[in-house]
Amino acid sequence: MVRRVENSTIDGEVVSILKRRQGNYSDLLRYLLDIPQLPDGERDRICQALDMTEAAGLESITRDLIESLIERGQLKELPTATLGTRQLEDMWNHRIYHLSDFPPPLVRRIYPPPSEDRGTAKDRDALWGGFSPDDISIFLDPRELITRLESDLKELLGATRCLFHPIQVPEEWTGILREQKPHPVIQELAEEASRRPGEMLYVPDLLRLTAGEEADRAEGSLLILGLGSRERSWLGAVEWHAPQPGGFPPEVRARAFRYGRVMQYRLTASFRLQALVFRDLLTGIYNRAYFEDQMEKEMHLALRKNEVMGLCIIDIDDFKSYNTRFGYAGGDRVLQEVALKLRASLRASDTLARYGGDEFAALLAAPFSPDEGPQIAARIREVVTGLRFPMVTMDGVTVESSVSVSLGGALCPRDASSLEELWKAANRNLLNAKTAGKNRWIFP
């Protein structure tokens, strides 16, 4: 039910909308369609919403749309003395909307500002404007990069806390995922924001949102911006926290959008650079430099936590024969096929690298049971031995080719407590496996 009443103090009409029937949301949306400069995206959302039959979905879209239009300055919220109501003014048609039983949402979805709103040069340069190629090493260390970005973004927005939430990131960054222990409500919001990179969630009063969580109540206000790059296949979110409710006014939220774009660019650049520096171009798995760095970190972590980790070295049997019979292109094909099978045979937490030539290495991350070593080694040998693929000989004849590998493994701290000694222990077992006839594994 919609009532139109002339208001003598404002040149326009007053529309009173009660939240008692689904149709009232439809009425409000039809009024909003009259806004002349309504962005195409919002206009499309209204048209889609008007076709909906589910009341809850229609209400959600209406709430989101109202907040978006307030953010863009096309609706203005007016003070009201009645609890549980809102009063909005259409800045183009000068209508006043009275919304009964329609309080502000606990979480507001805020859409990016218009594309022409790029901010000033000062805004664009505020986040690492003086970046120097001499600092390129920071892009290769995820923890240092994130720490610096969090510190800069916290200061630029005057927040008490700024945290990056990695939701879906390359394998190089999986350690960060394990380190995260955010508030469960905030983690849920970060995951939601990451699904729409470039959009923002605003929680004006965290206490209202977490009131039902006796052990996890939080106070203040929260801003979460979804980040991500489809090109680099990563998703995340950046969170800002203020100690008081309503701590992020519109001008601050506008700056957060601009700084968020810069952070997204920096992270994407880091992923791209790491792929160039740490990946083997032929097989797509890690290279020796990255593997040795990870091995050192994982060993220190395992020793500190008194946990077990493992190392497995894998060598392709008689690899030179493939180059001789099929040429170097054929040898490359063998390396690629074996790398795919090895990756599929390991745990998600393990690290696989092409260590050199036809030799691969697998870091079996802690926590790791000694019983798992022989199981993984046996699985790798079996999977690779069952591999069949067509190859073209140097004479141009297509034949079905197969391949086998030999493996040697060792555990830290049982077999060694230093990287050099652990490698020697695993390599001795590899050489013994080859001496015993190849296509074998030795992992005590």
Side-chain angles (χ1 to χ4, degrees):
M1 178 176 65
V2 178
R3 294 186 293 119
R4 301 187 184 185
V5 183
E6 292 300 325
N7 187 337
S8 60
T9 61
I10 296 179
D11 183 19
E13 62 181 335
V14 177
V15 181
S16 179
I17 299 179
L18 308 179
K19 185 197 167 188
R20 300 185 192 271
R21 291 189 333 197
Q22 177 182 347
N24 295 320
Y25 294 118
S26 301
D27 293 333
L28 175 58
L29 292 177
R30 289 190 181 94
Y31 277 115
L32 296 179
L33 278 174
D34 291 339
I35 297 177
Q37 295 191 5
L38 187 70
D40 290 341
E42 272 81 352
R43 193 174 298 277
D44 291 342
R45 281 169 60 84
I46 291 177
C47 293
Q48 293 172 7
L50 289 173
D51 292 333
M52 296 181 66
T53 58
E54 183 186 352
L58 185 60
E59 177 182 347
S60 176
I61 288 180
T62 305
R63 288 180 181 275
D64 284 350
L65 186 65
I66 285 174
E67 303 306 329
S68 175
L69 294 174
I70 291 174
E71 192 76 17
R72 295 177 185 275
Q74 289 158 328
L75 285 180
K76 179 181 179 182
E77 184 144 23
L78 304 176
T80 176
T82 307
L83 187 65
T85 66
R86 299 183 75 182
Q87 189 168 242
L88 306 171
E89 180 182 0
D90 173 352
M91 302 306 292
W92 291 98
N93 297 315
H94 297 290
R95 286 195 185 101
I96 301 296
Y97 304 96
H98 289 301
L99 286 76
S100 176
D101 194 19
F102 205 86
L106 297 178
V107 179
R108 293 173 53 184
R109 187 180 303 282
I110 300 175
Y111 298 93
S115 57
E116 63 270 13
D117 180 14
R118 297 298 183 183
T120 64
K122 182 179 179 181
D123 283 327
R124 292 192 298 271
D125 294 341
L127 191 60
W128 292 12
F131 172 73
S132 165
D134 294 337
D135 299 329
I136 199 170
S137 61
I138 193 174
F139 282 78
L140 301 178
D141 187 332
R143 290 174 180 83
E144 185 179 354
L145 175 63
I146 292 298
T147 299
R148 179 166 172 177
L149 285 168
E150 289 173 340
S151 175
D152 288 352
L153 288 171
K154 172 185 172 182
E155 181 179 350
L156 288 168
L157 258 67
T160 56
R161 181 178 75 231
C162 178
L163 291 174
F164 173 67
H165 296 265
I167 306 300
Q168 174 187 320
V169 293
E171 292 177 76
E172 293 92 325
W173 290 47
T174 51
I176 293 179
L177 289 172
R178 293 197 293 267
E179 294 172 358
Q180 293 287 314
K181 294 181 180 178
H183 188 289
V185 172
I186 296 176
Q187 176 66 16
E188 184 178 346
L189 292 174
E191 292 177 0
E192 180 182 349
S194 72
R195 291 192 284 269
R196 297 180 179 88
E199 291 184 4
M200 182 180 290
L201 298 179
Y202 176 41
V203 183
D205 189 349
L206 262 175
L207 188 58
R208 287 182 61 205
L209 184 65
T210 60
E213 308 288 335
E214 292 295 333
D216 291 308
R217 288 188 178 181
E219 298 183 358
S221 49
L222 192 70
L223 206 59
I224 296 182
L225 178 64
L227 304 176
S229 169
R230 297 189 185 281
E231 175 194 356
R232 307 308 303 177
S233 300
W234 71 274
L235 295 173
V238 58
E239 162 210 339
W240 290 277
H241 177 265
Q244 71 282 358
F248 297 100
E251 63 273 14
V252 175
R253 299 198 292 267
R255 290 207 309 272
F257 274 115
R258 293 195 286 268
Y259 296 145
R261 290 194 194 102
V262 180
M263 183 178 192
Q264 182 169 282
Y265 169 78
R266 299 299 186 200
L267 293 176
T268 301
S270 174
F271 295 141
R272 183 180 294 114
L273 184 61
Q274 288 185 42
L276 292 173
V277 174
F278 291 140
R279 294 280 180 176
D280 175 57
L281 296 179
L282 177 63
T283 61
I285 61 176
Y286 295 115
N287 59 22
R288 179 171 180 168
Y290 178 80
F291 184 83
E292 290 182 342
D293 182 64
Q294 286 299 108
M295 275 290 296
E296 189 171 355
K297 292 177 180 177
E298 289 291 338
M299 285 194 72
H300 288 161
L301 186 63
L303 291 171
R304 188 171 72 247
K305 293 185 175 183
N306 195 29
E307 294 179 337
V308 176
M309 62 154 295
L311 169 66
C312 186
I313 307 175
I314 307 108
D315 192 78
I316 298 177
D317 295 328
D318 302 315
F319 179 72
K320 290 183 179 179
S321 65
Y322 294 99
N323 285 332
T324 301
R325 189 178 181 191
F326 303 106
Y328 289 115
D332 290 347
R333 171 76 186 280
V334 171
L335 290 170
Q336 292 168 337
E337 295 287 346
V338 170
L340 285 174
K341 291 298 183 182
L342 294 179
R343 178 65 272 179
S345 302
L346 297 173
R347 304 171 304 169
S349 59
D350 298 334
T351 301
L352 175 68
R354 183 184 175 195
Y355 201 76
D358 61 327
E359 190 171 66
F360 298 87
L363 186 164
L364 309 175
F368 184 79
S369 168
D371 296 336
E372 291 182 275
Q375 295 173 8
I376 291 176
R379 182 168 65 244
I380 289 175
R381 192 203 71 82
E382 182 179 354
V383 167
V384 174
T385 302
L387 184 59
R388 299 288 186 274
F389 48 93
M391 296 274 281
V392 180
T393 68
M394 297 291 285
D395 299 327
V397 178
T398 300
V399 299
E400 185 179 72
S401 182
S402 61
V403 64
S404 68
V405 293
S406 298
L407 305 90
L411 296 179
C412 169
R414 187 194 66 186
D415 299 315
S417 56
S418 71
L419 178 59
E420 182 180 2
E421 291 302 318
L422 186 65
W423 186 268
K424 287 181 179 179
N427 200 45
R428 278 196 301 269
N429 287 329
L430 169 65
L431 293 176
N432 290 335
K434 280 188 167 294
T435 302
K438 303 180 184 178
N439 193 20
R440 300 171 183 270
W441 58 267
I442 296 179
F443 203 130

